[in-house]
Amino acid sequence: MDVSAKPKLDDVARVAGVSTATVSRCLNEPAKVTSKTRERVLSAVEALGYTPNFGGRALASRKTHTVGAVIPTMENAIFARGLQAFQEALAEAGVNLLVASSGYDAEREAAQIRALVGRGADGILLIGTARPEKTRAFLKRFATPCVIAWSIGGPGDVYVGFDNVAAARAIAERVIAFGHRRIAMISGITAMNDRAAGRIAGVRAALSEAGLSPEGLVVEEVRYAFDEAGVALHRLMAAPEPPTAIICGNDVLGVGAIVAARRRGLTVPCDLSITGFDDIDIAALVEPGLTTVHVPHRRMGLAAAKALLDLIEGQPQDRHVSIETSIIERGSLGPAPRSSSIGR
Amino acid sequence: MDVSAKPKLDDVARVAGVSTATVSRCLNEPAKVTSKTRERVLSAVEALGYTPNFGGRALASRKTHTVGAVIPTMENAIFARGLQAFQEALAEAGVNLLVASSGYDAEREAAQIRALVGRGADGILLIGTARPEKTRAFLKRFATPCVIAWSIGGPGDVYVGFDNVAAARAIAERVIAFGHRRIAMISGITAMNDRAAGRIAGVRAALSEAGLSPEGLVVEEVRYAFDEAGVALHRLMAAPEPPTAIICGNDVLGVGAIVAARRRGLTVPCDLSITGFDDIDIAALVEPGLTTVHVPHRRMGLAAAKALLDLIEGQPQDRHVSIETSIIERGSLGPAPRSSSIGR
DNA sequence: AAATGAAATGTAAGCGCTTACAAAAAATCC
DNA sequence: GGATTTTTTGTAAGCGCTTACATTTCATTT
């Protein structure tokens, strides 16, 4: 026997002295096989170091026990915690996870979805709702089970998310309550990102409600990166009437802004208040701690996994899961300074 | 035509009025097909929304255009940058990446490797060298192309890594040069982690070389998490003769230690010096900046991808790539305090 | 002990694709 | 123009596995 060749089902069958069907059953539905033959087969499997070939199995059974997730980016920790929980819950159910990233690009997202479907993903996790009709149509056409996370989806969608508008509005209200009137935003890029857009809308809504002009809100759109936040902060503070509070679209931007403010000689929150969104690890590590919106990413990831698995099984379920967020006060948000001459 | 069913190669062939072989060639080796028929085929593909079935393809071609990576953890950023680069380089070559995590557990690593091989991964990336003989044997037996990263492997291995011992020794020498004599370490858990073990060995070597007792080095082994570093720091500083410098096994521990020190009322580096390892994002964000070993993760990831792809193609290549590290001074390492009464 | 039914096992037909080989068509040469 | 080479396309045999169905085995009943 050629030891270097991968053993196949046939080989196992021959060694165990049974048919291929029996070996297959032994591996997939052990109950349908006598304990005696099962033993023989399993020891043959062990002896040969047999590992079933995924392609063959997928082809024959039309099941891959694999789901895919297309996330915008792996570059920072935004999606890490939620995805980790998602993966853990899937693993529990014996399902594998394939992760792909789109770079916030609609074409790439579509391509990745196609690839995942081609790989036979039994279901797919997508982030947010912003995608072209074409992509939606593709998903619908092949009836691919699909769960949307991180956002509240439409009535036709299955989603496990949170209300970005309401959460942003809540933290903006908090900022306003601290007496801030000149408020600016450092946001993620809103193209193909409904979360970023929703958070801006939420802040505008809070301003409007407080009798402040929502159009007056200066928004810097940048990539989610520490240094980009710094550049944006410098631009904002160079204005003739710089803001006294900056609401950041997420914690990467928030932490970047805090660091940049400090390097600019500003004291947070005395001179300038800064808030974030997500409550990832580093929000608690910077000095001062970042006041932010806590998103229970793990809970969301677990719920998303459950929803997707149920959907694949065709079981009845909650098609709409809304996750509550909360505000964590850490110190980067404080009262508006009396004099507003800073930065002039 | 049933629109809900996934179109197959046959369907495309029928619509385009050619044979299945032509369609297949069109997709895989477009050069071998007239531009005229290629056009016809591609428009049929487009019209049907055809996506090749991965299982079928893998089965027939015995190639999956997929490689796997088993990394110890996805929970923190340690492997993120390198893996991202690895993935990008693979994508360039049209190869997909499957990521699995082992949680620093030998059994889980072995299981993940088997799963990846079963899925037909054309090759595998592993982190470090610490694994049982059984796992090695499995890899060797099925001649799975395999590259080791993050460490210097054995002569029989193909690796793209750096010398953890030398790098740790270098930064320890730097610490000693600053006058520190009471030095402690907060290390990752060394079981199944040759990088962590190597870094301790490097520090011991530097101590020894400087005429200090390597056995005297107090090492706290903890998981790579911010708060674990804090707990370890408190334990270290509670000793009758607390260290004046703490060398941390990586930046997660280093940053955690800086934050914990600050919360303990210690000024870094005046009261206590702290160093890290890796040079990830947050090392530059904490106050003071973390003095650390810079590891060119991206370069390592790219080189690892190249090595693995070459290995899969069977091309001659560098089997041993050694990546140079350097020390980045940021401020968390300073001269040893004159009086050493701190913490007593 | 023969008849009956249930449980265990075997047989063989694909799953959707690639690819060696054969056949046909087009391009080149004398 | 026919012979030869080159390029393009088609035919058909698997790749390794699952599973419907057929067959065998074995326990149970009469």
Side-chain angles (χ1 to χ4, degrees):
Chain A
M1 181 175 35
D2 180 2
V3 122
S4 79
K6 285 204 183 94
K8 314 166 185 199
L9 202 70
D10 279 341
D11 301 323
V12 177
R14 196 163 346 99
V15 170
V18 298
S19 73
T20 60
T22 303
V23 176
S24 174
R25 274 189 287 260
C26 207
L27 265 31
N28 298 309
E29 310 159 290
K32 287 197 174 175
V33 156
T34 342
S35 61
K36 211 165 141 190
T37 47
R38 186 169 39 210
E39 237 168 66
R40 265 219 321 269
V41 169
L42 290 183
S43 71
V45 165
E46 184 69 20
L48 294 172
Y50 169 73
T51 310
N53 174 325
F54 176 78
R57 190 195 279 242
L59 198 52
S61 69
R62 261 145 298 176
K63 278 230 131 211
T64 57
H65 302 286
T66 295
V67 308
V70 184
I71 61 172
T73 177
M74 303 185 188
E75 267 178 45
N76 51 50
I78 312 176
F79 299 105
R81 207 188 333 160
L83 209 65
Q84 173 83 19
F86 183 69
Q87 202 253 78
E88 284 170 18
L90 292 177
E92 195 112 338
V95 171
N96 279 97
L97 174 63
L98 256 43
V99 182
S101 62
S102 70
Y104 293 97
D105 179 87
E107 279 306 318
R108 289 235 318 259
E109 190 192 44
Q112 301 280 26
I113 292 173
R114 293 172 80 101
L116 287 170
V117 169
R119 293 186 94 84
D122 296 333
I124 287 194
L125 181 80
L126 297 176
I127 307 299
T129 59
R131 59 185 54 84
E133 183 49 35
K134 203 174 160 189
T135 306
R136 279 180 228 276
F138 178 86
L139 252 14
K140 184 161 287 173
R141 176 160 177 192
F142 300 124
T144 313
C146 173
V147 168
I148 285 170
W150 261 263
S151 288
I152 302 295
D157 299 327
V158 175
Y159 64 80
V160 178
F162 55 94
D163 188 336
N164 284 276
V165 178
R169 180 173 176 153
I171 198 158
E173 282 167 0
R174 200 87 196 88
V175 169
I176 293 167
F178 266 101
H180 294 278
R181 290 300 173 263
R182 292 212 309 280
I183 298 169
M185 255 194 104
I186 301 179
S187 165
I189 290 166
T190 51
M192 289 300 298
N193 184 341
D194 59 292
R195 284 90 57 216
R199 291 170 199 180
I200 295 176
V203 172
R204 288 227 159 91
L207 289 175
S208 180
E209 182 190 37
L212 301 168
S213 152
E215 296 80 29
L217 180 73
V218 180
V219 179
E220 287 279 343
E221 284 195 19
V222 298
R223 284 192 308 108
Y224 289 129
F226 295 119
D227 47 348
E228 298 256 329
V231 173
L233 181 129
H234 292 315
R235 269 202 300 265
L236 288 173
M237 299 313 287
E241 291 220 314
T244 63
I246 298 181
I247 297 176
C248 296
N250 75 13
D251 284 356
V252 172
L253 298 179
V255 169
I258 285 182
V259 170
R262 193 170 58 214
R263 295 205 176 135
R264 209 176 205 271
L266 297 172
T267 309
V268 177
C270 303
D271 299 333
L272 177 67
S273 282
I274 292 174
T275 67
F277 201 115
D278 276 344
D279 193 22
I280 59 180
D281 272 353
I282 49 171
L285 290 178
V286 282
E287 188 59 39
L290 182 63
T291 291
T292 192
V293 175
H294 174 75
V295 179
H297 286 122
R298 281 196 59 86
R299 196 162 4 120
M300 182 165 61
L302 295 176
K306 185 179 176 325
L308 188 50
L309 291 173
D310 285 354
L311 196 58
I312 291 169
E313 296 297 322
Q315 285 172 18
Q317 37 143 1
D318 296 335
R319 297 177 58 85
H320 302 326
V321 178
S322 202
I323 305 273
E324 286 303 311
T325 60
S326 55
I327 291 177
I328 306 281
E329 308 235 9
R330 288 217 179 81
S332 68
L333 170 60
R338 286 290 189 85
S339 145
S340 33
S341 61
I342 295 144
R344 285 209 194 164
Chain B
M1 182 175 34
D2 180 2
V3 121
S4 79
K6 285 204 182 93
K8 315 165 185 200
L9 202 70
D10 279 339
D11 301 321
V12 176
R14 197 165 343 101
V15 170
V18 298
S19 73
T20 59
T22 304
V23 176
S24 174
R25 274 189 288 259
C26 207
L27 265 32
N28 299 309
E29 308 160 292
K32 287 198 174 174
V33 156
T34 343
S35 60
K36 212 163 135 189
T37 47
R38 185 168 40 206
E39 239 167 64
R40 266 219 321 270
V41 169
L42 290 184
S43 70
V45 165
E46 184 70 20
L48 294 172
Y50 169 74
T51 309
N53 173 321
F54 176 77
R57 190 195 278 242
L59 198 52
S61 68
R62 260 145 301 174
K63 279 226 130 215
T64 57
H65 301 286
T66 296
V67 309
V70 184
I71 60 172
T73 179
M74 305 185 188
E75 267 178 46
N76 51 50
I78 312 176
F79 299 106
R81 204 187 335 158
L83 210 65
Q84 173 83 19
F86 183 68
Q87 203 252 79
E88 285 170 18
L90 292 177
E92 195 111 340
V95 172
N96 280 97
L97 174 64
L98 255 43
V99 181
S101 63
S102 70
Y104 294 98
D105 179 89
E107 279 306 317
R108 282 219 345 243
E109 190 192 45
Q112 300 281 26
I113 292 173
R114 293 174 78 100
L116 288 171
V117 169
R119 292 187 94 82
D122 296 333
I124 288 193
L125 181 80
L126 297 176
I127 307 299
T129 58
R131 59 184 53 82
E133 184 49 36
K134 203 175 162 188
T135 306
R136 281 180 227 275
F138 178 86
L139 253 13
K140 183 161 288 172
R141 176 160 178 191
F142 300 125
T144 313
C146 173
V147 168
I148 286 170
W150 260 263
S151 288
I152 301 295
D157 299 326
V158 174
Y159 64 80
V160 178
F162 54 93
D163 187 336
N164 285 277
V165 177
R169 180 173 177 154
I171 197 159
E173 282 168 359
R174 199 87 197 86
V175 170
I176 294 167
F178 265 101
H180 294 279
R181 290 299 171 267
R182 293 212 308 281
I183 298 169
M185 253 195 107
I186 302 180
S187 165
I189 291 166
T190 51
M192 287 301 295
N193 183 341
D194 59 293
R195 284 90 57 214
R199 292 171 198 179
I200 295 177
V203 171
R204 287 227 161 90
L207 288 175
S208 182
E209 181 190 38
L212 301 168
S213 152
E215 296 79 29
L217 180 74
V218 180
V219 179
E220 287 279 342
E221 284 196 21
V222 297
R223 283 192 309 109
Y224 290 129
F226 296 119
D227 48 348
E228 297 256 330
V231 172
L233 181 129
H234 292 314
R235 268 201 302 264
L236 289 174
M237 300 313 287
E241 290 220 315
T244 62
I246 299 180
I247 296 176
C248 296
N250 74 12
D251 284 355
V252 171
L253 298 179
V255 169
I258 285 182
V259 170
R262 195 169 56 214
R263 295 206 176 133
R264 207 173 206 270
L266 298 172
T267 307
V268 177
C270 304
D271 299 334
L272 177 66
S273 282
I274 292 173
T275 65
F277 201 115
D278 276 345
D279 193 21
I280 60 180
D281 271 355
I282 49 171
L285 290 177
V286 281
E287 188 59 41
L290 182 63
T291 291
T292 192
V293 176
H294 174 76
V295 179
H297 286 120
R298 282 196 58 86
R299 193 155 14 115
M300 182 166 62
L302 295 176
K306 185 178 175 325
L308 188 51
L309 292 173
D310 285 355
L311 196 57
I312 291 169
E313 296 297 322
Q315 285 171 17
Q317 36 142 1
D318 296 336
R319 298 177 58 86
H320 302 327
V321 178
S322 202
I323 304 274
E324 287 303 310
T325 59
S326 54
I327 291 177
I328 305 280
E329 308 236 7
R330 288 217 179 79
S332 68
L333 170 60
R338 285 293 190 82
S339 142
S340 35
S341 61
I342 295 144
R344 287 210 191 161

